[in-house]
Amino acid sequence: MALFDWKDSRLGEKETKILEAAMDEFIAEGWNGARMQSIADRAGLKKSLVHYYFRSKEKLYRETVWRVMEYFFTTVLGQTEGKENFEDFLRSFINSVVDATGLNPRIPLFLMQELSRGGEVVCSILHDILSLQEIPVTTVMRIHIARAIEKGEIRPVDPIQFILSLLGACLYFAMAEPIIREIGKREGFLDQFDRQAFLEQRKEAVFNQFYYGIGGKRSE
Amino acid sequence: MALFDWKDSRLGEKETKILEAAMDEFIAEGWNGARMQSIADRAGLKKSLVHYYFRSKEKLYRETVWRVMEYFFTTVLGQTEGKENFEDFLRSFINSVVDATGLNPRIPLFLMQELSRGGEVVCSILHDILSLQEIPVTTVMRIHIARAIEKGEIRPVDPIQFILSLLGACLYFAMAEPIIREIGKREGFLDQFDRQAFLEQRKEAVFNQFYYGIGGKRSE
DNA sequence: TTAAAGTTTGACCAGATGGTCAGACTAAAT
DNA sequence: ATTTAGTCTGACCATCTGGTCAAACTTTAA
């Protein structure tokens, strides 16, 4: 039932059930839409018990955000080790992000609704997560890119700008899918839409776009 | 005070004030976070009056979503007329989207929270908007791209995939800015962050990324 | 056996929240 | 002057919501 794999051997059976229910509820409804009663129902327990194990809604929410972010920053973005050349690295990164978010669009949307609330929770948790990692994921990626530039494998680009563009391109479809489908229905593309095939095309298209560009010849 | 320019000469003074307040409230708080009392306060009117002019919260919400989407689809995405070559078209599109969302990140985030609720409202409104336009914006863009491909200006790409990547790359920073700043603070890039300058770099970087790619030579 | 600690329950609460309504007030039409 | 239609207000309401609490029940420790 859980949207992705987390697990905490330190937690008892009831706590696990509650947290699982809370994650489902928060990810589906967001902070403002989530209801403690609904979390209790999902867990098959009384509401008072939810309060007994986790003092407040806020605490459950933080636990949820923590796990979601940890999943995203390690499982999704962290699949970049061991790739020798930049092409492989890029392909593997795109596959990982498109697959994860295509499989579960609610997760990036959940993070967005949190950002829409100001993102204080997400930032404070991010702070903690980054503190825990010896070498943060983003640094790993930046080094990857810097090395490829040195080796002349790719042209010199600002790693941050590159990552921002890439991540946006990978995430956007999953988040905006309802809109895109509506337009597609209306304007005739996307007839007989095969989602899985589309995601495969998407990976290929993003790779080609970012690796080869659309047509300009480099000026140097 | 209004986040962007809309206006409806058919609406009276009070109605305009209420709708303005409602848009501010909904865009800041989302559907679940918005409060009718808060809308009334923003407008400087009694809550009963808000209900008098607009029957329900739902109706005000739909009016808000309608205007936000119309703004986004015409003002932001529609600035593509009169560009002769693809390079100009691409630059102008990127500038328009990065500027609009950089100036007001809440708007794309608002649409995302709506999508997070399932996007039924956004889709039904999108349906109406598309019905009203003689030639929908996306079609205009698709034709633009198709023509550039014919002329050999750019290599053949799937227009939909291209637009998705581009839009994602343009929107992502504005939406995820809090996260990016947190990481930047932590990992040492983005010291003494000058937002406006960064947005300018962003436009340039996105254009170069999409036009020139990152380094691969095209296989044909 | 008994005390202490941990668990579970249902009743309860204070404060929101969207929405209604009778009636007062006001301006235009007759 | 009187009717009529539109505008405005404050009181009110049913429902929901996160959270509390005393008391009952269960497990563990002494």
Side-chain angles (χ1 to χ4, degrees):
Chain A
M1 259 301 162
L3 295 179
F4 56 88
D5 210 33
W6 52 281
K7 236 189 217 182
D8 200 325
S9 50
R10 290 165 302 182
L11 294 180
E13 183 208 348
K14 295 264 170 69
E15 276 139 305
T16 307
K17 242 192 234 168
I18 293 172
L19 195 45
E20 207 166 291
M23 292 180 65
D24 287 347
E25 174 77 2
F26 279 123
I27 289 172
E29 306 294 338
W31 165 262
N32 279 314
R35 302 286 168 245
M36 292 300 276
Q37 185 60 59
S38 185
I39 292 172
D41 292 347
R42 282 177 194 257
L45 299 169
K46 306 285 172 178
K47 196 181 62 162
S48 326
L49 263 195
V50 176
H51 276 97
Y52 175 73
Y53 283 106
F54 300 83
R55 209 180 301 290
S56 65
K57 186 181 180 184
E58 212 171 311
K59 217 182 156 201
L60 266 175
Y61 185 66
R62 287 188 68 92
E63 295 282 344
T64 300
V65 175
W66 175 283
R67 277 164 180 77
V68 168
M69 296 207 63
E70 197 179 45
Y71 162 73
F72 209 82
F73 271 72
T74 59
T75 310
V76 180
L77 302 184
Q79 311 282 23
T80 62
E81 314 276 343
K83 302 295 167 192
E84 281 301 312
N85 58 58
F86 192 78
E87 192 180 328
D88 287 349
F89 161 75
L90 186 57
R91 277 191 199 278
S92 141
F93 181 87
I94 292 168
N95 286 351
S96 172
V97 178
V98 172
D99 276 340
T101 57
L103 205 67
N104 204 328
R106 286 181 175 285
I107 287 174
L109 282 172
F110 169 72
L111 290 175
M112 288 298 148
Q113 71 78 39
E114 161 58 21
L115 285 170
S116 178
R117 295 190 337 120
E120 283 162 43
V121 175
V122 99
C123 282
S124 114
I125 286 172
L126 187 57
H127 180 89
D128 296 346
I129 289 180
L130 292 178
S131 300
L132 285 178
Q133 296 176 316
E134 321 88 74
I135 309 163
V137 210
T138 59
T139 302
V140 171
M141 282 200 288
R142 274 159 55 219
I143 291 172
H144 239 286
I145 294 168
R147 198 172 298 157
I149 292 172
E150 256 177 58
K151 283 201 282 183
E153 222 178 328
I154 59 176
R155 70 180 176 85
V157 290
D158 180 339
I160 303 305
Q161 299 283 2
F162 177 76
I163 293 170
L164 287 179
S165 303
L166 185 60
L167 218 42
C170 290
L171 292 172
Y172 184 68
F173 169 71
M175 297 194 287
E177 182 169 356
I179 289 183
I180 292 148
R181 285 178 101 134
E182 183 64 37
I183 298 177
K185 224 189 323 174
R186 188 79 194 162
E187 304 198 10
F189 62 94
L190 298 193
D191 295 320
Q192 70 223 0
F193 182 61
D194 176 349
R195 195 168 184 281
Q196 195 48 51
F198 186 83
L199 286 178
E200 293 305 319
Q201 288 166 33
R202 182 102 203 93
K203 292 179 198 169
E204 200 53 29
V206 171
F207 174 82
N208 286 326
Q209 185 57 56
F210 276 78
Y211 202 64
Y212 298 115
I214 197 166
K217 293 174 187 74
R218 278 175 283 155
S219 45
E220 4 82 68
Chain B
M1 257 305 158
L3 293 180
F4 56 87
D5 211 33
W6 51 281
K7 239 190 215 180
D8 200 325
S9 50
R10 289 165 302 180
L11 294 180
E13 184 209 348
K14 296 264 170 69
E15 275 139 305
T16 308
K17 241 193 236 170
I18 292 173
L19 195 45
E20 206 166 292
M23 291 179 66
D24 288 346
E25 174 77 2
F26 279 123
I27 289 172
E29 307 294 337
W31 164 263
N32 279 312
R35 301 287 167 245
M36 292 301 276
Q37 185 60 59
S38 185
I39 292 172
D41 292 346
R42 283 178 194 258
L45 299 170
K46 306 285 172 179
K47 196 180 64 164
S48 325
L49 262 195
V50 176
H51 276 96
Y52 175 73
Y53 284 106
F54 299 83
R55 208 179 304 290
S56 65
K57 186 181 179 183
E58 211 171 312
K59 215 182 159 200
L60 267 175
Y61 185 67
R62 286 187 69 93
E63 295 282 344
T64 300
V65 175
W66 175 281
R67 278 165 180 77
V68 168
M69 296 207 62
E70 199 179 44
Y71 162 73
F72 208 82
F73 270 72
T74 60
T75 309
V76 180
L77 301 184
Q79 311 284 22
T80 62
E81 313 277 343
K83 302 295 167 190
E84 282 300 313
N85 59 58
F86 192 78
E87 191 179 329
D88 287 349
F89 161 75
L90 186 56
R91 276 191 200 280
S92 141
F93 181 87
I94 293 169
N95 285 352
S96 172
V97 179
V98 172
D99 276 339
T101 57
L103 205 67
N104 205 327
R106 286 179 176 286
I107 288 173
L109 282 172
F110 169 71
L111 290 175
M112 287 300 146
Q113 73 78 38
E114 161 58 21
L115 284 170
S116 178
R117 295 188 339 118
E120 283 162 43
V121 176
V122 102
C123 283
S124 116
I125 287 173
L126 187 57
H127 180 89
D128 296 345
I129 290 180
L130 293 178
S131 299
L132 286 177
Q133 298 175 317
E134 322 87 73
I135 308 162
V137 211
T138 59
T139 302
V140 173
M141 283 199 289
R142 274 160 54 219
I143 291 171
H144 240 286
I145 294 168
R147 198 173 298 157
I149 292 173
E150 255 178 57
K151 284 200 281 180
E153 223 179 327
I154 60 177
R155 71 180 174 86
V157 290
D158 180 339
I160 302 305
Q161 298 284 1
F162 177 76
I163 292 169
L164 287 180
S165 303
L166 185 61
L167 218 43
C170 290
L171 292 172
Y172 184 66
F173 169 72
M175 297 194 287
E177 183 170 354
I179 289 184
I180 291 146
R181 286 178 99 132
E182 182 65 36
I183 297 177
K185 225 189 323 174
R186 187 80 194 160
E187 303 197 15
F189 63 91
L190 298 193
D191 294 321
Q192 68 223 1
F193 183 62
D194 176 350
R195 194 167 184 282
Q196 195 48 53
F198 186 84
L199 287 177
E200 293 305 319
Q201 289 167 33
R202 182 100 204 94
K203 293 178 199 170
E204 200 52 31
V206 172
F207 174 81
N208 286 326
Q209 185 58 56
F210 278 77
Y211 202 64
Y212 298 116
I214 196 164
K217 294 171 189 74
R218 278 176 283 155
S219 45
E220 6 81 65

